Amino acid sequence: MAREVLIIGGGVAGLSTAVILLEAGYDVLVAARELGEGTTSAVAAAFWYPYRAYPEDQITRLAAVSLRRFSTLLDDPLAGVLQRDALEIYPEAVAAPAWASAATDFRDAEPELLPPGYGFGHRFRTVVIETPIYLPWLADRVRALGGRIALRSIASLDAALRERPVVINCAGLGARTLLDDPLLHPVRGQVVRVENPGLTRVWIDEHSGPNITYIVPRSRDVVLGGSSQDHQEDTSPDPELAREIVLRCAALEPALASARVLSIAVGLRPARSPLRLTSEPRPGGLVVHNYGHGGAGVTLSWGSAEAVRDLLHTSVPA
Ligand SMILES: Cc1cc2nc3c(=O)[nH]c(=O)nc-3n(C[C@H](O)[C@H](O)[C@H](O)COP(=O)(O)OP(=O)(O)OC[C@H]3O[C@@H](n4cnc5c(N)ncnc54)[C@H](O)[C@@H]3O)c2cc1C
């Protein structure tokens, strides 16, 4: 069996896939143009929430697998995974989302938790992934399991197939340079990181304005969001938008109004509907695509990685 695999990409998709394939006995080489800070994954808020990813039934399955795996990491103090209560608020009553069945303790929110102007809410338990801790931890897991990570660019899928007979495309938005995919496009997101004034609850307001608002307390800071700007590629921070994000979040948690700003970050979500989790036989070998996770790449990371493993089991002849 072809056990030698080249994974293109060292964001959360590539590294999670590397861990799952190493655990399944594959010989894994990861080639990544950037690691850590340079990736979209490092900008993510990054809490378990199946945001802007489709189709919903597949997303729910993948998100459930991820949540189970993240839950096992709560006990590892080095992994940077925290459990948090989440409150999603709405102007008026809505049905539960499709993914509610995958969430832990999903229920309607008590009316007294709702801020003025909001008529309805959902509560669930989520996990927050502290990317500055988690991504290096994940890379260390890859190496500890015997995988190799090379910091370099792959010019094309054919070039990758000349290196190894099985290639996993986890290049995120970078997949645009590897193949022609008109469905894949950027959705710009901006976050503001502030000192944590003692908050623990995750807030989400996706429906009362043009932009999603969220508050994601981590151990040392809070990630405030956000924006969702289709087809925009400018990664320079917008100071006016940053001020507006803080105001939106402070309307929900007043202590944030005076919290010291630590940094502003911008990332381009690799949006694609549906996300691409398919295998593609090519001359010289097999390519498995694992990209296009939009605003839910962390949420879907372990589920997608297991789906890649399952695709390999059915596609690679023994
Ligand atoms: C502001 C913001 C907030 C977000 N919040 C959340 C959240 O709360 N929860 C959640 O689940 N998701 C969230 N997301 C979405 C999440 O960040 C993405 O879905 C996820 O990071 C995508 O991961 P990836 O590994 O596919 O891509 P990336 O992290 O972009 O990694 C791609 C990798 O491929 C490499 N690469 C690309 N092309 C090549 C090439 N030719 N050769 C070699 N290497 C290559 C890159 O260098 C990089 O290593 C958020 C995103 C943004 C922008």
Side-chain angles (χ1 to χ4, degrees):
M1 185 195 284
R3 305 298 292 184
E4 295 198 324
V5 172
L6 171 62
I7 296 177
I8 308 173
V12 72
L15 295 177
S16 311
T17 303
V19 168
I20 292 292
L21 295 188
L22 286 159
E23 287 175 352
Y26 289 88
D27 174 332
V28 173
L29 168 63
V30 177
R33 198 171 48 211
E34 297 105 1
L35 280 174
E37 274 298 294
T39 63
T40 305
S41 300
V43 178
F47 64 110
W48 184 93
Y49 180 68
Y51 174 62
R52 282 206 168 206
Y54 308 95
E56 285 181 331
D57 54 343
Q58 183 188 22
I59 295 313
T60 301
R61 280 197 307 276
L62 300 176
V65 171
S66 295
L67 186 57
R68 277 199 292 278
R69 182 89 182 208
F70 283 127
S71 299
T72 67
L73 299 177
L74 288 167
D75 295 331
D76 185 339
L78 301 178
V81 180
L82 305 169
Q83 190 164 67
R84 298 284 193 216
D85 278 328
L87 173 62
E88 177 155 23
I89 49 176
Y90 306 86
E92 52 204 37
V94 295
W99 51 263
S101 60
T104 309
D105 283 349
F106 190 94
R107 60 202 189 278
D108 290 353
E110 299 78 357
E112 59 271 23
L113 289 180
L114 303 176
Y118 291 88
F120 191 70
H122 286 136
R123 292 180 70 185
F124 56 101
R125 252 185 304 146
T126 190
V127 285
V128 171
I129 316 304
E130 301 206 68
T131 54
I133 302 170
Y134 181 71
L135 291 173
W137 176 87
L138 204 50
D140 284 347
R141 281 299 300 150
V142 172
R143 295 186 192 98
L145 288 165
R148 281 185 296 137
I149 302 177
L151 204 55
R152 64 184 169 89
S153 201
I154 297 289
S156 68
L157 292 176
D158 290 339
L161 283 169
R162 281 194 290 276
E163 287 191 45
R164 292 196 160 198
V166 178
V167 170
I168 319 292
N169 174 11
C170 299
L173 202 57
R176 291 188 299 181
T177 62
L178 297 172
L179 75 175
D180 183 25
D181 182 349
L183 294 182
L184 179 63
H185 66 276
V187 177
R188 183 183 187 279
Q190 178 167 314
V191 292
V192 182
R193 299 170 186 134
V194 301
E195 267 178 358
N196 192 340
L199 306 182
T200 55
R201 171 170 291 147
V202 171
W203 290 79
I204 311 144
D205 174 8
E206 199 191 325
H207 298 278
S208 64
N211 271 319
I212 182 170
T213 297
Y214 50 86
I215 299 170
V216 182
R218 305 195 292 196
S219 58
R220 300 170 207 161
D221 59 5
V222 189
V223 183
L224 309 181
S227 73
S228 205
Q229 299 157 289
D230 265 316
H231 296 281
Q232 290 199 26
E233 304 224 19
D234 184 356
T235 53
S236 47
D238 173 347
E240 187 48 44
L241 177 59
R243 272 189 291 277
E244 195 236 312
I245 287 172
V246 174
L247 282 178
R248 272 192 268 139
C249 293
L252 303 175
E253 288 277 17
L256 291 169
S258 53
R260 192 163 70 91
V261 172
L262 303 173
S263 63
I264 303 172
V266 176
L268 304 179
R269 300 177 181 94
R272 189 183 193 277
S273 183
L275 69 88
R276 193 152 186 211
L277 257 177
T278 50
S279 59
E280 182 194 358
R282 287 194 165 217
L286 181 79
V287 175
V288 178
H289 300 286
N290 178 17
Y291 69 86
H293 299 84
V298 181
T299 305
L300 304 175
S301 54
W302 290 112
S304 301
E306 288 196 9
V308 169
R309 178 200 61 201
D310 296 345
L311 279 169
L312 281 186
H313 283 170
T314 52
S315 311
V316 179

